[in-house]
Amino acid sequence: MRHIKNFINGQFLDAVDGKTFEKRSPVDGQVIARIAEAGRVDVDAAVRAAHDALQGEWGRLTVDQRVDLLYGVANEISRRFEDFCDAEMADTGQPRHVMTSAFIPRGAANFKVFADVFKTVSSESFQMATPDGRGAINYAIRVPKGVIGVISPWNAPFLLMTWKVGPALACGNTVVVKPSEETPLTTALLGEVMNAAGVPKGVYNVIHGFGPDSAGEFLTHHPLVDAITFTGETRTGTAIMKAAAEGMRDVSFELGGKNAGIVFADADFAAAVEGIFRSSFLNSGQVCLGTERVYVERPIFESFVAALKARCEAVKFGRPDDHAANYGPLISDEHRRKVLAYYAKAVAEGATVVTGGGIPPMPAELAGGNWIEPTIWTGLPETAAVVREEIFGPCCHIRPFDGEDEVVNLANANDYGLSTTIWTSNLSRAHRLAARIEVGITWVNSWFLRDLRTAFGGSKQSGIGREGGVHSLEFYSETRNICIKL
Ligand code: NAD
Ligand code: 6OD
């Protein structure tokens, strides 16, 4: 069994009061790690280490030196690629192909890409006229914000944590990371990587624990934290925003979604079925960008539902490293109970269960895991809870539509506004719809495809701010205005 410690000032440390908590495997329910739970004293030590590091060697590095260190981090992650895949598979129970195709490589890229972005970004400079004729030069420099509190979720833990840590460090900040209590392993491994790459002590710190009355809350309330970046539930974002209000700290929030998938009759049928299958069921439906509301143009509604049902019924449940398997469990028993409660609610609300709706039969050695069937419903009104609320499980409701206006109204009639995926062969229609749908990102004939240099974030209750490329630099640095009279 692994023993995971906090990472403070370059050292792996137990909690001062010796408290720990358990991490259970999603696959079979066995305890796989015991984790040091940071208390107030440990959080304070981590934040002070981060604060002090700003004044030390890290703060004196040139941009080129900092960029070289971040390249070194990316290279070390790539060198330890298998360790990261194994750790993330142990934490999440998701298949190896999910790790190798996206979640781990994108984590390494988050250091390299943001180092490149920061290295090449320019700032404004103006020559001003002055009454005495001698003029002035008015220009801006970018300075780090300071200590960034990073709070990350469990669904794509390494990708989503490094997506914040990479740009934060590229801008010269230091970080204190509070990973989800469900997924501590890759965040801890990154501490080893930071030491191996020669990143100065105190620049990257990790505290483990929970949210309320635990490490998360202690971090967000700490007065030496200068800004907070958070990915997680909208409700949690509300609590963190209240904490950030003390001391007027800036926040960047990536929150929940209830995303629409729209399939027109002119779409490439097979590609649309596979695309919606991925967007609704990849990672067992635990993706913020996932599609839980599917709208299919009426002429192909019946055939689309039948094809998606067949695709769902072909999944093979099993361990992440079982080559015969391609489908994993939910993250925890608690989360499965929440998703199963929605499955029951759908039936109570009058849904037709097209497929799934329960727990699949599993062999005895996996019976303790959080397995659940991919589930499709039809026949519900838009007012039903499972059509309105984020479930974050492997399920979707499919409804027929007639025409662009109707589907735009359906897609927009939700409090969230994170993403959409549209399947059509009519490019003009794709442009028209993409501009009308109230979300941060729209995919056409694709899903979960984005250059790290472009803006990412949610509209409405799906987030505050944008990260990605120069948008991340806007959050992780401050512009200082300097005017020199000549
Ligand atoms: P969560 O909000 O329960 O927890 C996220 C993190 O916040 C965890 O580290 C948790 O310990 C911490 N936390 C909880 N309460 C806190 C508090 N009061 N103060 C400080 N920290 C606190 O979310 P989750 O269940 O880990 O993740 C699933 C949610 O994340 C879904 O709603 C999903 O849509 C969202 N998500 C959004 C994006 C995005 O980019 N928009 C990406 C991934 C996940
Ligand atoms: O595209 C990304 O890098 C990104 N932030 C993905 C978010 C995935 C949410 O589950």
Side-chain angles (χ1 to χ4, degrees):
M1 187 180 356
R2 292 170 162 102
H3 182 179
I4 302 297
K5 301 184 181 190
N6 297 308
F7 184 69
I8 300 174
N9 208 23
Q11 280 187 292
F12 287 97
L13 299 173
D14 280 318
V16 165
D17 63 6
K19 248 175 123 177
T20 60
F21 64 97
E22 287 175 345
K23 160 69 191 169
R24 287 180 184 274
S25 164
V27 167
D28 57 16
Q30 297 298 310
V31 176
I32 55 165
R34 183 156 282 286
I35 300 125
E37 183 179 351
R40 252 182 229 287
V41 179
D42 309 291
V43 174
D44 183 58
V47 174
R48 285 183 192 283
H51 182 72
D52 293 348
L54 289 165
Q55 317 305 326
E57 184 193 348
W58 177 247
R60 292 191 293 274
L61 294 180
T62 63
V63 171
D64 282 350
Q65 289 168 324
R66 207 160 72 216
V67 161
D68 280 350
L69 277 178
L70 296 184
Y71 281 177
V73 171
N75 291 340
E76 185 64 11
I77 293 169
S78 303
R79 195 183 70 75
R80 298 193 61 184
F81 188 77
E82 288 304 323
D83 293 344
F84 276 96
C85 289
D86 289 348
E88 197 94 315
M89 288 191 304
D91 260 349
T92 64
Q94 291 300 321
R96 175 171 286 276
H97 72 84
V98 176
M99 307 305 143
T100 56
S101 60
F103 285 12
I104 304 301
R106 203 153 167 93
N110 279 329
F111 287 95
K112 180 158 185 324
V113 169
F114 287 103
D116 286 341
V117 171
F118 192 83
K119 196 172 170 179
T120 52
V121 79
S122 60
S123 61
E124 62 206 17
S125 171
F126 298 97
Q127 288 187 317
M128 283 179 69
T130 56
D132 64 6
R134 287 165 60 185
I137 299 175
N138 198 173
Y139 67 100
I141 57 169
R142 261 173 207 283
V143 294
K145 274 202 174 137
V147 177
I148 309 289
V150 175
I151 302 191
S152 50
W154 46 256
N155 64 305
F158 188 59
L159 181 160
L160 290 167
M161 178 267 295
T162 51
W163 158 248
K164 297 170 179 308
V165 173
L169 299 193
C171 291
N173 301 283
T174 58
V175 296
V176 180
V177 182
K178 210 300 279 169
S180 168
E181 53 276 25
E182 293 293 347
T183 49
L185 297 184
T186 44
T187 318
L189 260 186
L190 190 59
E192 293 177 20
V193 163
M194 293 286 172
N195 280 349
V199 173
K201 295 184 189 331
V203 170
Y204 172 81
N205 305 274
V206 182
I207 48 159
H208 296 287
F210 302 82
D213 201 25
S214 181
E217 188 179 310
F218 303 151
L219 179 63
T220 56
H221 283 271
H222 198 294
L224 292 179
V225 171
D226 298 296
I228 301 167
T229 176
F230 166 72
T231 299
E233 277 194 27
T234 299
R235 217 180 23 243
T236 312
T238 308
I240 293 178
M241 200 164 182
K242 287 183 184 157
E246 301 159 22
M248 289 294 159
R249 277 92 52 79
D250 203 358
V251 293
S252 173
F253 284 171
E254 292 175 1
L255 308 174
K258 186 73 182 179
N259 310 304
I262 300 172
V263 183
F264 284 92
D266 63 16
D268 173 334
F269 186 81
V273 171
E274 191 56 28
I276 293 290
F277 174 76
R278 276 189 73 232
S279 70
S280 297
F281 300 106
L282 182 86
N283 213 32
S284 305
Q286 304 165 117
V287 182
C288 59
L289 305 162
T291 303
E292 290 187 356
R293 298 184 289 147
V294 182
Y295 301 104
V296 178
E297 211 171 10
R298 198 172 299 276
I300 60 163
F301 179 77
E302 298 296 340
S303 52
F304 186 91
V305 172
L308 196 64
K309 169 181 182 334
R311 187 66 184 82
C312 287
E313 291 174 357
V315 305
K316 300 264 182 288
F317 299 97
R319 290 186 182 276
D321 48 9
D322 174 352
H323 295 298
N326 58 17
Y327 211 75
L330 295 185
I331 189 73
S332 65
D333 179 49
E334 183 189 353
H335 188 53
R336 184 171 69 164
R337 278 190 270 120
K338 176 187 151 186
V339 176
L340 284 172
Y342 274 110
Y343 282 16
K345 200 177 271 186
V347 172
E349 286 179 315
T352 299
V353 181
V354 175
T355 187
I359 295 174
M362 296 300 291
E365 69 275 16
L366 298 182
N370 314 313
W371 306 96
I372 192 165
E373 289 172 328
T375 294
I376 300 174
W377 305 292
T378 56
L380 285 173
E382 294 296 291
T383 49
V386 299
V387 184
R388 280 184 297 110
E389 298 170 18
E390 181 186 51
I391 301 170
F392 219 55
C395 52
C396 63
H397 177 258
I398 316 185
R399 170 194 170 126
F401 73 87
D402 301 288
E404 285 180 24
D405 285 339
E406 184 190 7
V407 81
V408 167
N409 290 334
L410 287 166
N412 285 342
N414 193 268
D415 291 339
Y416 292 110
L418 190 55
S419 71
T420 320
T421 168
I422 301 172
W423 295 83
T424 178
S425 57
N426 180 336
L427 202 53
S428 302
R429 163 186 282 156
H431 283 292
R432 272 195 306 274
L433 258 70
R436 291 177 67 194
I437 296 178
E438 298 159 352
V439 290
I441 181 165
T442 292
W443 282 285
V444 177
N445 299 330
S446 64
W447 177 74
F448 210 147
L449 181 67
R450 186 179 62 80
D451 191 304
L452 287 168
R453 291 167 297 183
T454 62
F456 179 82
S459 301
K460 303 197 270 190
Q461 292 189 22
S462 288
I464 295 183
R466 294 289 180 270
E467 295 194 32
V470 292
H471 309 278
S472 294
L473 305 193
E474 289 304 321
F475 177 70
Y476 293 107
S477 67
E478 234 165 41
T479 303
R480 188 165 290 162
N481 190 335
I482 300 171
C483 187
I484 303 201
K485 174 80 171 55
L486 300 177

